[in-house]
Amino acid sequence: MVSTTTLISLIAPLLLATFAPLTTAQGALTCGTTGWDALGATPAFYAIANPATATPAACKKLCATPNLPTKCGSFAVGNGTCLLYAGTVASTLNANTGSQYAYYDAACPTPATLVKMDFSA
């Protein structure tokens, strides 16, 4: 039987890696932080109200489209809308946990779809 201490020592590094900030050569990435546009921030240059593109993965794909009028630096999804921004999340976001909008830098990994698992058997 494996002791609790052994389990914690095996799982802790995985949990820390999961919640550690993502970094790039440019610095830390913001991925999935909820909030609103910051006062005075440059507004989104593109917005589409379509539930099909209002998921993090679909909006990220739209952000990566090469023929956009402006280079996409970040995107936000929420309330059935995908928003594209020229700047990074750091230059756009006023964080607020009560918001329906989640903001992602364009360089964030594609967010995974959560799958509900039932272990009650």
Side-chain angles (χ1 to χ4, degrees), residues 39-51:
L39 187 61
T42 303
F45 69 86
Y46 188 83
I48 183 165
N50 179 343

Side-chain angles (χ1 to χ4, degrees), residues 7-118:
L7 281 175
I8 291 172
S9 67
L10 293 171
I11 295 172
L14 297 173
L15 292 175
L16 291 174
T18 301
F19 296 109
L22 298 171
T23 57
T24 65
Q26 294 81 31
L29 294 174
T30 302
C31 306
T33 301
T34 58
W36 308 98
D37 288 358
L39 187 61
T42 303
F45 69 86
Y46 188 83
I48 183 165
N50 179 343
T53 59
T55 66
C59 196
K60 178 180 174 62
K61 187 174 180 179
L62 190 60
C63 183
T65 302
N67 59 349
L68 291 172
T70 303
K71 181 171 174 30
C72 184
S74 61
F75 61 94
V77 293
N79 203 25
T81 305
C82 168
L83 303 163
L84 304 183
Y85 296 88
T88 62
V89 173
S91 67
T92 305
L93 179 68
N94 177 18
N96 184 321
T97 57
S99 172
Q100 295 179 2
Y101 292 88
Y103 288 73
Y104 299 84
D105 282 317
C108 288
T110 301
T113 303
L114 296 177
V115 177
K116 183 178 178 182
M117 299 179 79
D118 185 2

